[in-house]
Every structure is written in structure tokens, then in C-alpha cells.
Amino acid sequence: MLRLYRTDPTSRIGVIQRVQVRSRTINVQPPSWSGEQVPDKPVYRMLPWWTVSAVEAAGGVR
């Protein structure tokens, strides 16, 4: 929550009640002299919804 409201969490209109994180990762290709093989397709992840408590929404958790 602190990353969403970095300066003043109370200055925003509305309240964040839930957050969902999604990510896309891609492997770094190994050097040409390496025999290592890694997939070159991205991997997508979606984490479940996280309920934000009133204390966290107010910026009280650090």
C-alpha cells in the first residue's frame, strides 16, 4: 500500500479495498559460450486478490 500512496495515503479520493498483483517474467539468455538452454517465452502469473485492512489503507503499516 505504501508504494501505491507514497507521499500521503489520505490525500487520495476513495479507498483501496483490494489489490491484485500480476507479473510477466522473461529469462535472461545465457552467454553464447554456455550450453545452458532456457525458455524464451514469457511466464505470466496472477496472484489472488489481497484484502487491504483499514490500517494498511490509511498508511499505518510500514
Side-chain angles (χ1 to χ4, degrees):
M1 287 302 303
L2 292 175
R3 290 185 179 197
L4 296 175
Y5 291 156
R6 289 177 191 248
T7 55
D8 182 8
T10 60
S11 67
R12 305 292 196 264
I13 297 173
V15 176
I16 296 176
Q17 295 177 337
R18 296 189 318 157
V19 175
Q20 186 176 39
V21 176
R22 300 177 197 180
S23 70
R24 175 180 181 250
T25 57
I26 301 173
N27 289 317
V28 174
Q29 293 299 313
S32 59
W33 48 262
S34 171
E36 183 179 2
Q37 299 291 317
V38 295
D40 60 352
K41 301 212 185 292
V43 175
Y44 297 91
R45 287 182 45 185
M46 186 174 353
L47 300 176
W49 283 96
W50 165 59
T51 301
V52 179
S53 72
V55 172
E56 290 169 319
V61 176
R62 296 197 183 264

